[in-house]
Amino acid sequence: MGDRYSLQEEPFHPWIRTAPFFQGLPESVVEPALIHLVTRTHPANQVILLENDWGGSVYFIFEGWVKIRTYNLEGKEVTLNILGKGELFGEMAALDEVPRSTDVITLTTTVIGSLPAQDFVKLLQIEPLAGVRLSKLMARRLRQVNRRLRLRESDSQSRVADTLLFLAEGQGKRAQTGTEIPNLPHRELSSLSGLARETVTRVLTRLEKKGLIQRDQETICIPDVSALERLIV
């Protein structure tokens, strides 16, 4: 069941205050825009959106992780992105009113806020900063995809390193020991990098032995991001 979040009871949810998209936007604009926001908790491996669905909502991640996937001409699954807390998805279909171009599936138990597309578009129309934020988000995602496409012919070490840096740019968290990213299943890193899962496992082990990453059950820590960047050729 969905829990309707009432901004009238609490003007701003803590997540709203810290979400990059909403930071700095006037309360007088954000409050009415989010009045119809509905949150739901989804288990891992649940399909949230399917390719060719029509876009009636824009989605904000409160907790957890989702992957954006499509399929290549051979029918093989391709992971385009991994999104976590603070990110949004579904904005393209809301803007151009065409069917969705990818699937979205949860990787963990995930709490997602669903906002009617018309409310999101209205926010963009009345608040210029919201439009700028969305433009920067879409430009960053396009830049990341272009970089990964350029590296498709690089060696496996460069491609795995770039995948880790890609995740660090989008979801990295500063810690005392470096930048932490989620320790995703190797099949997801395989799909993101375009490499075989066994190859990804070997490269991760090599990077760990070199001290370029540190792993535990939940996270991968990158002690020195610049050192990992220097591996990419």
Side-chain angles (χ1 to χ4, degrees):
M1 294 292 291
D3 299 317
R4 187 172 295 277
Y5 170 64
S6 173
L7 287 168
Q8 295 173 338
E9 295 176 5
E10 183 182 352
F12 280 87
H13 188 285
W15 178 85
I16 296 298
R17 282 195 291 268
T18 60
F21 182 81
F22 291 105
Q23 282 183 352
L25 270 62
E27 294 186 12
S28 59
V29 172
V30 176
E31 184 172 342
L34 298 181
I35 197 68
H36 299 124
L37 183 73
V38 174
T39 63
R40 290 186 174 88
T41 300
H42 302 270
N45 301 313
Q46 183 172 75
V47 175
I48 305 299
L49 299 177
L50 281 173
E51 187 174 349
N52 295 320
D53 283 350
W54 285 92
S57 297
V58 178
Y59 301 86
F60 296 85
I61 304 174
F62 281 64
E63 294 290 345
W65 301 91
V66 303
K67 68 176 177 180
I68 314 297
R69 78 173 181 194
T70 188
Y71 292 90
N72 62 20
L73 294 177
E74 289 75 38
K76 182 180 178 181
E77 178 180 318
V78 177
T79 299
L80 299 177
N81 208 343
I82 303 288
L83 303 179
K85 181 178 180 180
E87 293 268 17
L88 68 148
F89 60 89
E91 73 286 347
M92 291 178 60
L95 289 173
D96 55 18
E97 298 182 341
V98 298
R100 302 191 187 276
S101 58
T102 57
D103 300 339
V104 180
I105 300 95
T106 58
L107 292 174
T108 62
T109 299
T110 306
V111 182
I112 294 174
S114 172
L115 183 68
Q118 60 268 29
D119 291 353
F120 182 74
V121 172
K122 184 178 180 180
L123 173 62
L124 298 177
Q125 291 171 340
I126 65 177
E127 177 49 55
L129 182 55
V132 172
R133 289 276 170 77
L134 183 62
S135 297
K136 288 183 176 180
L137 170 68
M138 297 176 76
R140 176 170 64 85
R141 290 180 179 174
L142 179 59
R143 186 173 63 252
Q144 290 171 334
V145 170
N146 288 340
R147 186 179 71 182
R148 289 166 59 204
L149 287 174
R150 289 198 302 270
L151 287 169
R152 283 287 167 168
E153 302 304 318
S154 297
D155 62 88
S156 58
Q157 182 171 265
S158 294
R159 289 163 69 176
V160 171
D162 180 69
T163 298
L164 298 178
L165 291 168
F166 166 74
L167 291 171
E169 182 180 352
Q171 296 299 329
K173 296 180 181 179
R174 292 295 304 168
Q176 288 185 343
T177 54
T179 301
E180 292 183 347
I181 60 175
N183 191 359
L184 297 171
H186 290 187
R187 66 177 179 275
E188 303 299 344
L189 296 176
S190 167
S191 188
L192 270 173
S193 62
L195 296 166
R197 184 167 57 181
E198 295 80 6
T199 301
V200 170
T201 299
R202 285 198 301 271
V203 173
L204 289 174
T205 300
R206 191 184 314 148
L207 294 177
E208 189 170 28
K209 288 180 178 178
K210 291 180 177 180
L212 293 168
I213 63 172
Q214 299 165 357
R215 291 186 288 176
D216 59 31
Q217 188 172 0
E218 300 295 329
T219 63
I220 295 176
C221 181
I222 305 172
D224 184 351
V225 169
S226 61
L228 199 59
E229 288 174 340
R230 288 193 291 271
L231 289 182
I232 299 176
V233 296

